[in-house]
């Protein structure tokens, strides 16, 4: 007999309305639906030489045409009666009943092609295919580098139904056809002393098995080829649902579409490799970063590519695009071309965007084990075989990305690649002298440290007062005029030096060269211990010294031991001694580059002080 059956809970678990598997997608129903369904379709590809095609199509039908309509409506009323005293459950059920009483409703069909379909639909003992989708909870069956496991993601379609009602249909590689409805509702009193488990099935009632055919589904859309269909009855998407799905697909499956692994049809719009650029342009205001990722994928001028063999498991393939006002993030994608997440906090000085692809089955399998259930983060502790090794490789991958971009930045230094907000930082702010605000204080991060930190240091009798806002000031003589510049072999004019606050310093003390007119000061990490300092001083300086120190969270300065230093400019001379770099012949208004190496291999937020002898 065909109809609805909600099995008894056997005196066990009573299911409430706030089911974790569905609540996970609350507030992001449409985006989760697009991501989860396309992910599962890509994992079930039948022939990798051809693209997987996924269709999203909405239909309006008479509500009474829902398979088993009267039975299902009766179940909703029983649920409301059982949960009448629960405000949350009552709110959901009142709305569900209101919607199912309307004369018409929407159905969203999601169909895939060039997939394997669902195996063994009529084998109740199987742990794969059909049963993995409809019967198994918390029992991931996919292994290797497959993204989905018919785990928590299979609940996404139910979150998109007013009454949590979904029908499945498949034609698999053995050309077996099967169809079945499924509802994830709440427990209710089915009959005297019998409480349902809250999950029900429409099909062969006795064993809750699918049937070969459901006419109501065929009337909406008939399937001929191999693949799987999902029908979401009571579809609750807004009128902008199609646009939301398009944006989600462009953001999460950009690489898959560009590599011709995925083609999508939403209503009458087609998205594939041939028209991807045009579609991106149309939605650029909604997903502005995607067009820059596309520039990398298409290898436009200015994009640089890097590869790294990763412990023999496969290759890391990194594409980097430098430009103005970019997002400073790297999109990380797996073999299928699906977005995992964006790595950020890489560089504060270089404007870039990047794409990192994991190439190789073993490499994908290794990092797949670290993924969270939502597939948007790596957590090394999830790698049960060897969490310590996972943590090591996780950090190594991130470090390679960070170092590659930092090294690229040193090769592409120009006035266009400057510190954001530099003009603002040059403004005088004497309220900031002696300490920055809480907003200005940096917290060091071992995984993704800031690569430079600009600090102004004032000096009277060689004591430090640190602020993270640059202050204006000049060296003056006793009349308040800038002193003459000492020529090589000459002597400094006598007089009283004043700092930016007007305080006098005795003759012979080191005077800090203030950043008035200093259009560039930057520290870039080149490798573990090696850095490059770039600065531009406002006037010629015959000799002086630099101090480089670490800035702590409380704005305290700690001098750093400098192992060696060299100047890129042949006109300048530099030499490291202890915690100082001594220099000669810095040219005014010219960019000076100094490479230096620290003794310690740590990550620092840097402060730089420039002194004229």
């Amino acid at each position: 007999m065909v109809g609805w059956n909600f099995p008894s809970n056997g005196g066990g678990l009573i299911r409430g309305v706030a089911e974790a598997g569905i609540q996970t997608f609350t507030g992001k129903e449409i985006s989760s639906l697009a991501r989860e369904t396309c992910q599962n379709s890509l994992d079930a590809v039948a022939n990798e030489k051809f693209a997987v095609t996924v269709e999203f199509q909405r239909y309006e039908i008479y509500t009474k045409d829902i398979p088993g309509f009267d039975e299902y409506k009766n179940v909703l009323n029983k649920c409301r009666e059982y949960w009448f005293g629960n405000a949350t459950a009552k709110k959901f059920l009142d709305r569900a009943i209101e919607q199912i009483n309307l004369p018409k409703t929407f159905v969203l069909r999601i169909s895939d092609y060039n997939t394997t379909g669902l195996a063994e639909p009529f084998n109740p003992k199987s742990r794969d295919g059909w049963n993995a989708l409809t019967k198994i909870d918390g029992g991931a069956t996919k292994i290797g580098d497959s993204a989905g496991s018919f785990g928590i993601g299979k609940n996404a379609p139910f979150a998109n139904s007013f009454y949590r009602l979904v029908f499945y249909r498949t034609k698999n590689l053995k050309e077996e056809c099967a169809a079945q409805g499924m509802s994830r509702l709440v427990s209710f009193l089915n009959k005297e002393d019998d409480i349902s488990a809250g999950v029900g099935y429409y099909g062969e009632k006795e064993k809750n098995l699918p049937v070969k055919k459901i006419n109501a589904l065929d009337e909406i859309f008939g399937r001929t080829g191999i693949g799987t269909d999902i029908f979401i009855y009571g579809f609750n998407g807004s009128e902008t649902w199609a646009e939301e799905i398009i944006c989600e697909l462009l953001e999460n499956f950009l690489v898959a579409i560009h590599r011709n692994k995925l083609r999508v049809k939403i209503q009458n719009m087609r998205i594939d490799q041939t028209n991807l650029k045009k579609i991106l342009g149309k939605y650029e205001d909604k997903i502005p970063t995607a067009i820059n990722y596309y520039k990398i994928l298409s290898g436009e001028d200015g994009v640089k590519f890097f590869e790294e063999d990763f412990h023999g498991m496969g290759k890391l393939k990194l594409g980097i695009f430098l430009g103005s006002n970019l997002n400073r993030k790297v999109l990380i994608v797996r073999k299928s071309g699906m977005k995992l997440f964006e790595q950020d906090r890489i560089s504060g000085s270089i404007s870039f965007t990047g794409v990192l692809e994991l190439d190789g089955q073993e490499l994908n399998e290794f990092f797949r084990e670290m993924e969270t259930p939502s597939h948007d983060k790596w957590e090394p502790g999830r790698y049960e075989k060897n969490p310590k090794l996972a943590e090591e490789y996780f950090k190594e991958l991130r470090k390679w990305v960070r170092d590659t971009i930092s090294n690229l930045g040193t090769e592409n230094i120009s006035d266009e690649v400057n510190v954001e907000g530099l003009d603002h930082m040059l403004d005088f702010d004497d309220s900031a002298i002696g300490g920055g605000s809480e907003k200005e204080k940096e917290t060091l991060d071992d995984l993704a440290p800031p690569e430079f930190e600009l600090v102004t240091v004032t000096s009277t009798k060689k004591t430090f007062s640190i602020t993270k806002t640059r202050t204006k000031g000049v060296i003056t003589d006793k009349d308040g005029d800038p002193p003459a510049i000492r020529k090589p072999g000459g002597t400094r004019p006598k007089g009283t030096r004043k700092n930016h606050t007007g305080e006098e310093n005795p003759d012979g003390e080191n005077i800090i060269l203030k950043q008035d007119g200093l259009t560039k000061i930057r520290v870039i990490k080149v490798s573990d211990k090696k850095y490059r300092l770039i600065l531009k001083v406002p006037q010629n300086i015959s000799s002086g010294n630099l101090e480089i120190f670490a800035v702590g969270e409380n704005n305290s300065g700690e001098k750093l031991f400098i192992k060696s230093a060299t100047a890129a400019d042949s006109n300048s001379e530099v030499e490291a001694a202890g915690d100082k770099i001594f220099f000669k012949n810095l040219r005014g208004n010219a960019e000076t580059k100094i490479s230096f190496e620290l003794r310690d291999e740590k990550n620092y937020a840097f402060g730089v002080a420039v002194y004229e002898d």
Side-chain angles (χ1 to χ4, degrees):
M1 184 176 178
V2 177
W4 279 103
N5 180 32
F6 283 79
S8 168
N9 72 347
L13 185 70
I14 295 177
R15 182 185 296 267
V17 71
E19 182 185 347
I22 296 177
Q23 292 296 110
T24 299
F25 305 111
T26 300
K28 50 182 179 180
E29 291 87 354
I30 285 290
S31 61
S32 300
L33 179 69
R35 181 178 168 91
E36 298 293 339
T37 54
C38 285
Q39 167 193 296
N40 284 329
S41 294
L42 283 169
D43 287 340
V45 59
N47 188 339
E48 293 191 359
K49 293 181 180 180
F50 302 98
V52 168
T53 299
V54 180
E55 293 182 357
F56 295 82
Q57 188 78 27
R58 190 181 73 165
Y59 306 84
E60 188 175 30
I61 67 167
Y62 288 105
T63 311
K64 63 180 178 59
D65 290 337
I66 295 174
F69 169 74
D70 291 329
E71 287 180 278
Y72 196 73
K73 183 177 176 181
N74 186 43
V75 166
L76 285 174
N77 286 316
K78 287 183 178 181
C79 289
R80 182 170 62 176
E81 183 180 343
Y82 184 78
W83 290 95
F84 188 79
N86 184 294
T88 303
K90 185 176 181 300
K91 181 180 179 181
F92 161 72
L93 291 164
D94 282 347
R95 189 177 189 189
I97 292 170
E98 177 188 358
Q99 289 293 322
I100 208 166
N101 281 327
L102 294 175
K104 290 187 176 182
T105 189
F106 287 113
V107 179
L108 180 69
R109 173 181 62 88
I110 307 171
S111 302
D112 63 29
Y113 301 89
N114 188 31
T115 58
T116 60
L118 297 171
E120 299 188 278
F122 302 104
N123 180 3
K125 296 181 180 179
S126 173
R127 296 192 301 272
D128 298 317
W130 187 273
N131 286 346
L133 176 62
T134 61
K135 301 288 178 64
I136 297 175
D137 266 347
T141 59
K142 293 185 184 178
I143 59 174
D145 62 347
S146 294
S149 305
F150 284 137
I152 196 170
K154 66 187 178 185
N155 292 302
F158 295 93
N160 285 270
S161 168
F162 281 119
Y163 20 89
R164 295 186 181 177
L165 176 58
V166 174
F167 277 74
Y168 301 107
R169 183 180 65 187
T170 195
K171 184 175 183 179
N172 61 28
L173 292 174
K174 293 182 179 180
E175 297 201 353
E176 295 175 295
C177 295
Q180 189 173 28
M182 185 175 180
S183 172
R184 289 182 174 271
L185 277 173
V186 294
S187 294
F188 61 93
L189 196 61
N190 210 355
K191 53 187 176 181
E192 188 176 355
D193 298 327
D194 181 21
I195 297 176
S196 80
V199 175
Y201 299 90
Y202 179 89
E204 195 280 302
K205 293 181 70 170
E206 186 176 348
K207 295 183 179 180
N208 282 330
L209 289 175
V211 292
K212 291 184 178 181
K213 182 178 182 180
I214 296 177
N215 289 333
L217 304 183
D218 292 341
E219 289 172 4
I220 293 174
F221 178 78
R223 171 172 284 276
T224 55
I226 292 171
T228 299
D229 305 300
I230 300 173
F231 295 84
I232 302 174
Y233 279 82
F235 177 56
N236 58 18
S238 69
E239 287 305 310
T240 61
W241 70 271
E243 186 176 81
E244 292 175 52
I245 286 181
I246 291 169
C247 291
E248 191 67 22
L249 294 175
L250 292 175
E251 184 170 348
N252 285 280
F253 296 95
L254 178 68
V255 176
I257 297 171
H258 181 264
R259 300 274 191 260
N260 198 31
K261 293 183 177 183
L262 177 66
R263 296 175 182 173
V264 187
K265 183 179 178 183
I266 300 109
Q267 297 294 77
N268 296 318
M269 178 177 285
R270 172 181 53 87
I271 304 175
D272 59 26
Q273 185 185 51
T274 63
N275 68 351
L276 180 57
K277 186 175 182 179
K278 180 180 178 181
I279 300 294
L280 284 169
K282 183 177 180 179
Y283 293 96
E284 186 175 3
D285 60 327
K286 297 183 182 297
I287 42 172
T289 59
I291 193 68
N292 289 319
Y293 290 140
Y294 177 80
K295 290 178 181 178
I296 295 172
L297 298 174
S298 57
E300 293 192 10
D301 291 343
V303 177
K304 294 183 180 291
F305 294 95
F306 305 87
E307 287 190 5
E308 177 78 4
D309 181 81
F310 199 79
H311 300 282
M313 296 189 293
K315 289 184 178 181
L316 304 178
K317 294 185 175 181
L318 177 63
I320 298 296
F321 175 65
L322 299 180
S324 301
N325 301 317
L326 299 177
N327 66 348
R328 302 173 190 262
K329 294 180 181 180
V330 171
L331 174 70
I332 297 180
V333 297
R334 65 150 64 86
K335 177 184 174 184
S336 66
M338 186 188 81
K339 170 186 175 180
L340 289 173
F341 57 89
E342 291 172 312
Q343 181 180 342
D344 56 7
R345 303 184 67 187
I346 295 172
S347 173
S349 61
I350 305 168
S351 180
F352 72 93
T353 194
V355 176
L356 174 67
E357 297 182 66
L358 306 187
D359 184 27
Q361 182 168 339
E362 187 179 353
L363 182 62
N364 276 272
E365 287 179 5
F366 184 87
F367 282 94
R368 164 73 179 87
E369 295 296 318
M370 299 186 208
E371 287 179 25
T372 59
S374 54
H375 309 292
D376 58 2
K377 189 185 300 182
W378 282 332
E379 294 179 350
R382 291 179 176 273
Y383 189 81
E384 296 181 359
K385 298 175 187 175
N386 192 338
K388 186 175 181 181
L389 179 66
E391 178 75 23
E392 178 184 331
Y393 282 6
F394 171 70
K395 289 184 177 180
E396 183 180 334
L397 181 147
R398 290 174 62 93
K399 183 177 183 298
W400 179 76
V401 171
R402 191 168 61 245
D403 288 350
T404 301
I405 294 171
S406 296
N407 292 340
L408 184 61
T410 64
E411 299 170 6
N412 293 273
I413 293 168
S414 69
D415 289 338
E416 293 180 1
V417 186
N418 264 325
V419 183
E420 281 192 16
L422 183 62
D423 293 338
H424 170 73
M425 294 178 71
L426 288 171
D427 291 340
F428 177 71
D429 178 7
D430 85 349
S431 67
I433 298 169
S437 68
E438 287 300 317
K439 223 173 192 181
E440 293 167 324
K441 296 179 181 178
E442 288 289 337
T443 300
L444 302 179
D445 188 318
D446 290 335
L447 288 181
E451 296 185 359
F452 66 91
E453 182 69 37
L454 301 177
V455 219
T456 297
V457 179
T458 60
S459 176
T460 54
K461 298 184 179 179
K462 300 181 182 178
T463 61
F464 292 102
S465 173
I466 303 170
T467 172
K468 289 193 178 180
T469 304
R470 294 188 185 176
T471 56
K472 288 188 177 181
V474 295
I475 302 172
T476 62
D477 62 20
K478 63 182 179 180
D479 297 319
D481 298 320
I485 301 300
R486 182 177 61 187
K487 295 180 180 179
T491 58
R492 182 194 298 275
K494 293 290 183 179
T496 301
R497 277 65 169 182
K498 294 182 181 180
N499 63 22
H500 67 285
T501 62
E503 297 171 345
E504 295 183 354
N505 290 322
D507 215 15
E509 292 287 349
N510 282 343
I511 307 296
I512 186 169
L513 178 68
K514 287 307 201 173
Q515 273 86 347
D516 187 35
L518 199 64
T519 58
K520 184 172 290 184
I521 181 166
R522 185 183 304 134
V523 178
I524 297 175
K525 188 172 184 178
V526 176
S527 62
D528 290 338
K529 298 180 182 180
K530 295 181 179 180
Y531 300 83
R532 181 170 294 181
L533 170 65
I534 304 153
L535 74 159
K536 188 183 289 185
V537 295
Q539 56 193 26
N540 293 332
I541 305 177
S542 59
S543 64
N545 67 80
L546 300 164
E547 287 184 349
I548 298 174
F549 51 91
V551 180
E553 293 184 9
N554 61 355
N555 275 344
S556 59
E558 178 184 349
K559 295 181 182 180
L560 298 174
F561 182 86
I562 300 168
K563 187 176 179 180
S564 63
T566 57
D569 184 358
S570 59
N571 295 318
S572 303
E573 299 177 31
V574 300
E575 182 180 1
D579 57 10
K580 292 181 174 61
I581 298 176
F582 292 90
F583 61 79
K584 291 183 179 178
N585 303 323
L586 290 193
R587 292 179 299 168
N589 296 313
E591 190 177 88
T592 300
K593 301 175 185 177
I594 299 174
S595 298
F596 66 93
E597 182 177 358
L598 298 179
R599 179 175 58 186
D600 298 325
E601 185 179 338
K602 294 181 180 180
N603 295 312
Y604 297 106
F606 286 105
V608 179
V610 184
Y611 296 93
E612 180 183 5
D613 286 343

